[in-house]
């Protein structure tokens, strides 16, 4: 019997080649989208599962509120980890890491130029770090590799990069001009690890950590703990509640040392709560967490892509349902004959389901080819490198083999039930609605569904695109174009050396101005708390305020085109500005000063150093527009108010001189510090990297929108072809009676265009709701305008008109004599 079913299915497939190709191609596209997205979702949900102690490993986080600033962060102080291990027996061990930023690593070669690279993936770590996580070692004792000063552990990839096929153990590398001995090789860190690194150096080399071992407000460490046994969420919450006693015992002394009263701050509404975040929850389930980890993901994004891929598969199955029910006239007589000779309804249902399953299997074969061809593009869209081995892994293929059954049920069950219910008497009379194509209302509804999904995606993609354009070009108060950023300037170690290099750059005809700064907008800032002084003002001012700042020179303002609204810039070669500060509008507003020029503020973090406000600058973004513009200050470098690793030059170039300027600046750099690679960026490009995730969403959404439209148009094309076929006699009679080609084309097209217009009406409020919710994540955002809906709707109508119009014109141009002969 099955053999007979297959024979009939193949016969129908070859007899109706156009419909078969459209069905198989549409299903294959839907299955390909599901396959690739399944690969992505599996990866996103597998973070840290490879680690042996993942269930017991937690990130230490702070839930803090200081003044008006509050949030959750994994940035923690140096004494927190050791104190947790001392006070709470549930904690088996702790480890801390300290990010070193961009670091110069060198391997000296005899009689050759040294291997020299800037590396970002380097951290200082406590001895227990590798043991706590259980990262697998290739060489070295996991409990000893970071025990001694000047020890470094490499990943396999880095060992290969610097030493090729040589054994790297025991050899030396120069890190920021200091020799380190390689004491261990760790296996390469998988991409689904929350913690990523290429090099680990011993924490004992960094005395700054020891120097701040008293501080509970120097939040420059990441702290990790491993529990003795896994805890339920309730037990974990009970444990973290007990941490409050530790904080109240040890934090007040640190606050007092910087001139603040911990208890008074807490009474005013501040908060300092220590939490433990399960390692496996970090990637997707800690929204709003501030962290140095660059692997934090977005659970909503994963869900969005999953939903879109399912919708695309449903759209493909809708094509199958539509085309099968539309062709009910041809299949109805087959059903009638089979029933007349005694076939049961269940037998006929089985026949149609097997036919649908055959289509799905053929589509799956095509899917394997399409997925392989699309994998490089998908890798670019997701910024991940999946291999064919991963694409065809047993887990992925196992899940993919389920999809043909799902698509068979989605696309085949209704046509099977619908066609099998025909009565032989009605079929042979050929007078029922079903004999004329059947279930027009269902096909219309499904076409509306297809285009409603596609138009919703189009509107969403349009809004996301324009919000990104707004974000990337929002530069009020700051010049972003033609600003070259030179990195690693800290290797020009003395102030005089940096100034000499700056003067050399100013001699280049391509250069207008140069400034040196600890950080630059889009590249971070130094943040700490400052205490504004009340002065003679009668209305109260805020008692302390978190301010992001840049330690720089008098050229910072003109180089970056910053607008001063009141007061003055720093003065050239003036020692008076060692106690001066320039604030932005947001800082003045947050403080509450009515006349800020001349007012004073103190910095408890550096012995209550005092600064007088000499200028007010226009607000500008120093980070993403997701967040409101924060209080910002500029301090003169002569104040030496703090020290950071950050050190950059911002070079303002003449327009259209970038290529020549880069070549000349690199030449000067190599002459000045040949042992440090020259690295640069542009300020506008640096700002664009802040929206990397949004750009990725925009690209993937655009691709899926196009895919949904293509699949929907395939179905619409097939339905238009069928409609023209069944109306062949009508078209012939109309032409004989004088109907024009335009009139017949309009007649055949209007019914489909009505469905697209209905889809626009349905899609518009859905898209508006979704995009309004998405835009709420941005403090500064565009308005959703009518023309965005008009563009998406107009494009959908145009695509539908071209799809249907081709078949309509073809039918209208046919010879009426031949049309009438068919009867």
């Amino acid at each position: 019997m099955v053999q007979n079913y297959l024979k009939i299915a193949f016969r129908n497939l070859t007899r109706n080649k156009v419909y078969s190709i459209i069905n198989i191609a549409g299903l294959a596209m839907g299955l390909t989208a599901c396959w690739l997205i399944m690969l992505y979702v599996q990866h996103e949900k597998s973070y840290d599962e490879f680690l042996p102690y993942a269930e017991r490993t937690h990130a230490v986080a702070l839930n803090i509120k200081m003044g008006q600033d509050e949030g959750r962060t994994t940035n923690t102080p140096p004494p927190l980890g050791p104190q947790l291990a001392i006070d709470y027996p549930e904690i088996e061990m702790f480890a801390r890491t300290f990010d070193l930023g961009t670091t110069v690593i060198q391997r000296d070669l005899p009689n050759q130029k040294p291997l020299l690279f800037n590396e970002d993936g380097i951290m200082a770590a406590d001895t227990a770090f590798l043991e706590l996580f259980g990262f697998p070692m290739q060489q070295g004792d996991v409990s000893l590799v970071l025990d001694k000063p000047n020890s470094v552990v490499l990943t396999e990839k880095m060992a290969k990069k610097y030493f090729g096929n040589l054994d790297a153990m025991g050899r030396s590398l120069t890190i920021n001009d200091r020799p380190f001995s390689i004491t261990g090789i760790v296996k390469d860190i998988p991409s689904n690890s929350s913690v990523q690194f290429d090099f680990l150096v011993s924490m004992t080399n960094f005395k700054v950590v020891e120097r701040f071992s008293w501080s509970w407000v120097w939040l420059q460490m990441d702290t990790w703990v491993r529990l003795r046994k896994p805890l339920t969420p309730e037990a974990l919450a009970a444990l973290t509640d007990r941490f409050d006693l530790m904080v109240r015992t040890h934090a007040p002394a640190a606050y007092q040392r910087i001139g603040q009263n911990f208890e008074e701050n807490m009474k005013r509404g501040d908060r300092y709560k220590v939490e433990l975040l399960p390692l496996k929850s970090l990637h997707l389930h800690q929204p709003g967490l501030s962290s140095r980890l660059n692997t934090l993901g977005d659970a909503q994004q994963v869900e969005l892509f999953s939903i879109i891929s399912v919708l695309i598969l449903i759209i493909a199955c809708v094509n199958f349902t539509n085309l099968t029910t539309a062709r009910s006239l041809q299949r109805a007589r087959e059903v009638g004959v089979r029933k007349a000779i005694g076939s049961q309804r269940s037998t006929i249902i089985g026949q149609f389901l097997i036919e649908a399953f055959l289509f799905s299997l053929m589509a799956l074969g095509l899917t394997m080819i399409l997925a392989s061809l699309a994998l490089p593009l998908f890798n670019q869209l997701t910024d991940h490198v999946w291999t064919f081995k991963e694409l065809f892994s047993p887990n992925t293929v196992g899940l993919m083999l389920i999809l043909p059954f799902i698509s068979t049920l989605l696309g085949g069950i209704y046509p099977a039930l619908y066609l099998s219910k025909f009565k032989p008497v009605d079929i042979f009379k050929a007078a029922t609605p079903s004999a004329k194509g059947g279930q027009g209302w269902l096909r219309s509804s499904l076409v509306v569904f297809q285009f409603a999904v596609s138009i919703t995606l189009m509107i969403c993609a349009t809004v996301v695109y324009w919000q990104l354009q707004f974000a990337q070009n929002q530069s009020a108060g700051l010049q972003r174009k033609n600003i070259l950023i030179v990195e690693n300037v800290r290797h020009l170690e003395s102030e005089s050396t940096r100034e000499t290099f700056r003067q050399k750059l100013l001699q280049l005809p391509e250069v207008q101005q140069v400034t040196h700064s600890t950080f630059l907008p889009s590249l971070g800032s130094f943040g700490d708390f400052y205490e504004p002084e009340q002065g003679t003002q009668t209305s109260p001012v805020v008692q302390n305020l978190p301010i992001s700042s840049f330690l720089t020179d008098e050229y910072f303002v003109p180089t970056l085109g910053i607008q001063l609204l009141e007061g003055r810039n720093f003065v050239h070669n003036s020692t008076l500005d060692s106690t001066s500060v320039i604030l932005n509008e947001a800082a003045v507003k947050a403080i509450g000063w009515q006349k800020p020029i001349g007012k004073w503020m103190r910095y408890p973090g550096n012995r209550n150093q005092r600064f007088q406000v000499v200028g007010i600058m226009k607000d500008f973004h120093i980070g993403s527009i997701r967040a409101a513009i924060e209080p910002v200050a500029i301090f003169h470098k002569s104040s030496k108010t703090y020290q950071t690793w950050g050190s950059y030059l911002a070079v303002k170039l003449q327009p259209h001189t970038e290529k020549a300027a880069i070549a000349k600046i690199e030449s000067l750099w190599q002459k000045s510090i040949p042992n440090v690679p020259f690295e640069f960026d542009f300020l506008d490009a640096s700002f664009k990297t802040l929206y990397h995730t949004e750009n990725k969403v925009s690209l993937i959404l655009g691709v899926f929108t196009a895919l949904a439209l293509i699949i929907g148009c395939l179905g619409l094309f097939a339905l238009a072809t069928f409609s023209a076929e069944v109306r062949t006699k009508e078209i012939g009679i109309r032409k004989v009676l004088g109907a024009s080609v335009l009139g017949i084309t309009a007649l055949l097209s209007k019914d489909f265009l009505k469905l697209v217009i209905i889809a626009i009406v349905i899609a518009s409020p859905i898209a508006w709701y979704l995009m309004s919710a998405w835009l709420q994540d941005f403090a500064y955002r565009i308005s959703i305008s009518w023309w965005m809906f008009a563009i998406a709707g107009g494009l959908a109508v145009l695509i539908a008109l071209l799809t249907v119009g081709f078949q309509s014109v073809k039918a209208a141009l046919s010879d009426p004599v031949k049309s009438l002969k068919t009867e």
Side-chain angles (χ1 to χ4, degrees):
M1 183 180 291
V2 174
Q3 183 179 0
N4 185 50
Y5 288 167
L6 292 173
K7 187 184 296 183
I8 295 171
F10 273 112
R11 188 181 300 155
N12 282 314
L13 186 149
T14 54
R15 184 184 298 161
N16 302 282
K17 294 182 178 65
V18 172
Y19 298 108
S20 299
I21 291 171
I22 287 174
N23 269 328
I24 292 170
L27 278 175
M29 290 180 189
L31 290 172
T32 300
C34 279
W35 193 333
L36 294 175
I37 290 300
M38 189 185 301
L39 193 67
Y40 168 77
V41 171
Q42 278 185 318
H43 177 268
E44 291 295 291
K45 293 187 174 181
S46 68
Y47 263 71
D48 302 308
E49 288 184 353
F50 70 97
L51 291 169
Y53 310 115
E55 296 293 340
R56 292 192 281 148
T57 304
H58 294 70
V60 181
L62 297 181
N63 186 339
I64 56 177
K65 182 176 185 294
M66 296 183 178
Q68 301 300 313
D69 201 27
E70 63 180 312
R72 295 164 65 246
T73 179
T74 57
N75 302 337
T76 53
L80 181 53
Q83 201 63 53
L84 283 169
I86 292 170
D87 291 357
Y88 302 95
E90 294 91 341
I91 295 173
E92 181 179 0
M93 63 175 67
F94 79 93
R96 302 164 303 171
T97 59
F98 179 55
D99 185 48
L100 301 182
T102 303
T103 303
V104 179
I105 298 184
Q106 175 179 327
R107 183 199 166 197
D108 293 319
L109 299 171
N111 303 318
Q112 295 182 50
K113 188 177 179 180
L115 283 176
L116 194 65
F117 297 98
N118 285 323
E119 301 285 2
D120 293 317
I122 180 167
M123 301 187 296
D126 285 327
T127 302
F129 176 78
L130 290 168
E131 184 180 3
L132 184 149
F133 282 94
F135 286 115
M137 299 293 296
Q138 186 189 62
Q139 290 179 270
D141 186 335
V142 69
S143 62
L144 298 175
V145 288
L146 293 172
D147 200 35
K148 296 180 180 179
N150 296 88
S151 301
V152 59
V153 175
L154 283 66
T155 61
E156 292 175 300
K157 181 180 177 181
M158 290 299 107
K160 183 79 173 176
K161 177 178 178 178
Y162 283 88
F163 297 96
N165 294 323
L166 297 175
D167 184 4
M169 284 292 288
R171 297 178 183 271
S172 294
L173 286 175
T174 302
I175 301 177
N176 282 349
D177 299 323
R178 296 168 64 182
F180 281 76
S181 177
I182 298 170
T183 54
I185 308 293
V186 66
K187 291 187 177 180
D188 285 336
I189 310 302
S191 60
N192 60 345
S193 173
S194 292
V195 179
Q196 294 286 335
F197 60 88
D198 294 318
F199 301 85
L200 293 175
V201 295
S202 175
M203 187 73 77
T204 57
N205 280 97
F206 296 89
K207 301 302 180 185
V208 63
V209 176
E210 184 179 338
R211 192 160 63 245
F212 282 96
S213 60
W214 59 269
S215 177
W216 285 68
V217 293
W218 191 72
L219 308 182
Q220 302 300 319
M221 313 291 292
D222 289 311
T223 305
W224 305 88
V225 298
R226 192 170 87 194
L227 304 179
R228 296 189 184 278
K229 63 179 182 180
L231 297 180
T232 64
E234 293 77 16
L236 187 64
L239 174 61
T240 56
D241 286 342
R242 291 161 51 200
F243 294 164
D244 291 345
L245 177 61
M246 172 192 65
V247 173
R248 290 197 302 270
T249 302
H250 300 283
Y255 270 67
Q256 186 176 6
R257 189 163 172 175
I258 62 172
Q260 294 191 30
N261 188 306
F262 177 82
E263 295 297 339
E264 289 297 323
N265 286 357
M266 297 302 112
K267 289 177 182 178
R268 285 200 302 267
D270 283 6
R271 183 173 64 251
Y272 196 113
K273 184 173 178 60
V274 179
E275 298 178 345
L276 297 183
L277 308 180
L279 175 63
K280 291 170 71 173
S281 74
L282 287 179
H283 181 61
L284 290 180
H285 304 294
Q286 297 296 339
L289 180 68
S290 173
S291 178
R292 294 184 187 87
L293 296 173
N294 58 8
T295 53
L296 298 184
D298 186 343
Q300 289 184 337
Q301 181 177 301
V302 174
E303 292 172 4
L304 171 67
F305 292 161
S306 301
I307 291 169
I308 291 175
S309 68
V310 170
L311 288 174
I312 289 175
L313 179 59
I314 292 174
I315 288 173
C317 292
V318 162
N319 280 351
F320 184 85
T321 301
N322 264 351
L323 295 179
T324 306
T325 55
R327 292 176 56 243
S328 60
L329 177 61
Q330 290 91 325
R331 302 304 300 272
R333 291 197 171 110
E334 173 193 337
V335 172
V337 171
R338 291 168 68 89
K339 281 195 170 185
I341 62 176
S343 291
Q344 298 296 317
R345 188 182 183 192
S346 59
T347 305
I348 296 171
I349 290 173
Q351 162 68 48
F352 285 114
L353 286 178
I354 286 179
E355 192 171 315
F357 187 65
L358 180 63
F359 273 105
S360 297
L361 283 181
M362 296 182 74
L364 181 61
L366 181 58
T367 296
M368 293 181 181
I369 298 172
L370 292 177
S372 300
L373 294 175
L375 189 61
L377 172 62
F378 191 68
N379 285 341
Q380 289 183 357
L381 290 175
T382 57
D383 281 336
H384 184 82
V385 180
W386 275 290
T387 63
F388 290 110
K389 183 179 178 180
E390 291 170 303
L391 182 66
F392 294 102
S393 68
N395 288 340
T396 307
V397 173
L399 289 171
M400 280 305 301
L401 291 177
I402 299 173
L403 288 181
F405 294 94
I406 296 174
S407 61
T408 298
L409 290 175
L410 288 175
I413 191 67
Y414 178 79
L417 293 172
Y418 170 67
L419 292 172
S420 65
K421 77 176 182 179
F422 289 164
K423 296 177 181 179
V425 174
D426 291 334
I427 291 169
F428 293 124
K429 284 182 178 179
T432 62
S434 44
K436 297 178 180 177
Q439 299 292 13
W441 65 269
L442 176 68
R443 289 199 304 279
S444 298
S445 300
L446 293 177
V447 169
V448 168
F449 168 78
Q450 285 182 309
F451 273 85
V453 171
S454 300
I455 293 165
T456 299
L457 292 175
M458 289 171 65
I459 295 171
C460 291
T462 302
V463 174
V464 169
Y465 172 80
W466 285 108
Q467 173 63 18
L468 281 178
Q469 292 301 306
F470 172 77
Q472 293 171 356
N473 297 294
Q474 178 77 0
S475 59
L478 182 73
Q479 179 177 329
R480 295 184 186 179
K481 292 185 177 181
N482 302 316
I483 302 295
L484 178 74
I485 300 170
V486 180
E487 303 174 11
N488 293 322
V489 180
R490 66 174 177 273
H491 295 283
L492 294 165
E493 295 181 353
S494 67
E495 181 60 39
S496 60
T497 305
R498 285 194 292 269
E499 180 58 25
T500 300
F501 186 76
R502 198 186 76 83
Q503 290 297 333
K504 289 180 180 179
L505 294 182
L506 286 172
Q507 293 173 15
L508 300 177
E510 296 83 2
V511 174
Q512 295 186 46
Q513 189 56 273
V514 184
T515 182
H516 171 257
S517 180
T518 50
F519 293 100
L520 289 169
S522 78
L523 292 172
S525 59
F526 178 84
D528 213 333
F529 284 83
Y530 294 80
E531 296 180 350
E533 295 183 3
Q534 181 72 37
T536 57
Q537 181 172 308
T538 55
S539 58
V541 299
V542 69
Q543 294 191 349
N544 60 70
L545 180 72
I547 295 179
S548 299
S549 67
F550 305 99
L551 192 61
T552 183
D553 53 33
E554 59 269 30
Y555 311 109
F556 188 85
V557 168
T559 301
L560 299 183
I562 295 171
Q563 302 175 37
L564 290 179
L565 304 177
E566 293 183 57
R568 63 172 177 84
N569 186 20
F570 299 134
V571 178
H572 180 61
N573 285 335
S574 172
T575 57
L576 296 177
D577 281 328
S578 62
T579 58
S580 298
V581 62
I582 299 173
L583 298 177
N584 71 343
E585 296 171 280
V588 174
K589 183 178 179 181
I591 291 169
W593 278 329
Q594 296 171 354
K595 295 181 179 180
I597 299 298
K599 294 293 192 299
W600 291 82
M601 57 191 290
R602 293 185 297 114
Y603 178 37
N606 189 25
R607 304 183 188 88
N608 286 319
Q609 186 177 12
R610 296 177 79 228
F611 293 94
Q612 187 176 38
V613 179
V614 297
I616 306 301
M617 56 186 170
K618 182 178 176 63
D619 281 341
F620 58 86
H621 294 283
I622 65 171
S624 168
I625 65 169
R626 281 185 177 275
I629 292 177
E630 58 193 282
V632 175
I634 301 175
F635 297 102
H636 196 270
K637 60 186 179 182
S638 61
S639 68
K640 299 179 181 179
T641 183
Y642 54 78
Q643 293 181 334
T644 73
W645 284 89
S647 187
Y648 298 89
L649 286 177
V651 184
K652 186 177 182 180
L653 302 178
Q654 299 285 357
H656 313 299
T657 62
E658 294 86 352
K659 188 174 181 180
I662 291 169
K664 292 179 181 179
I665 293 172
E666 182 175 9
S667 176
L668 289 173
W669 179 274
Q670 290 174 347
K671 290 177 183 177
S672 300
I673 38 176
N675 62 333
V676 178
F678 176 71
E679 288 197 353
F680 67 92
D681 198 357
F682 285 91
L683 189 59
D684 53 357
S686 179
F687 267 99
K688 286 181 179 180
T689 61
L690 298 176
Y691 306 100
H692 176 75
T693 300
E694 289 81 2
N695 273 309
K696 185 168 67 174
V697 171
S698 178
L699 283 171
I700 295 177
L701 193 58
V703 170
F704 282 161
T705 300
L707 191 58
L709 276 171
I710 290 170
I711 296 172
C713 287
L714 282 174
L716 197 62
F717 177 82
L719 286 175
T721 303
F722 173 78
S723 177
E725 285 179 3
V726 298
R727 300 177 74 174
T728 300
K729 180 181 177 182
E730 177 191 345
I731 293 169
I733 293 172
R734 287 179 179 276
K735 291 196 70 174
V736 169
L737 295 176
S740 66
V741 172
L742 182 61
I744 293 173
T745 301
L747 176 71
L748 295 175
S749 302
K750 66 179 183 180
D751 290 337
F752 292 107
L753 293 181
K754 286 178 184 176
L755 300 180
V756 176
I757 291 170
I758 293 171
I760 294 171
V761 173
I762 293 172
S764 296
I766 295 173
W768 179 86
Y769 173 78
L770 293 174
M771 286 296 94
S772 294
W774 181 74
L775 287 171
Q776 293 304 312
D777 288 340
F778 293 87
Y780 305 90
R781 50 188 177 266
I782 61 172
S783 298
I784 302 178
S785 301
W786 65 268
W787 58 264
M788 297 177 182
F789 299 90
I791 288 175
L795 188 58
V797 169
L798 178 62
I799 291 171
L801 188 61
L802 291 174
T803 303
V804 176
F806 174 79
Q807 279 301 321
S808 300
V809 172
K810 182 180 176 182
L813 291 173
S814 63
D815 188 347
V817 175
K818 292 182 180 180
S819 301
L820 295 175
K821 272 185 180 180
T822 62
E823 296 297 314

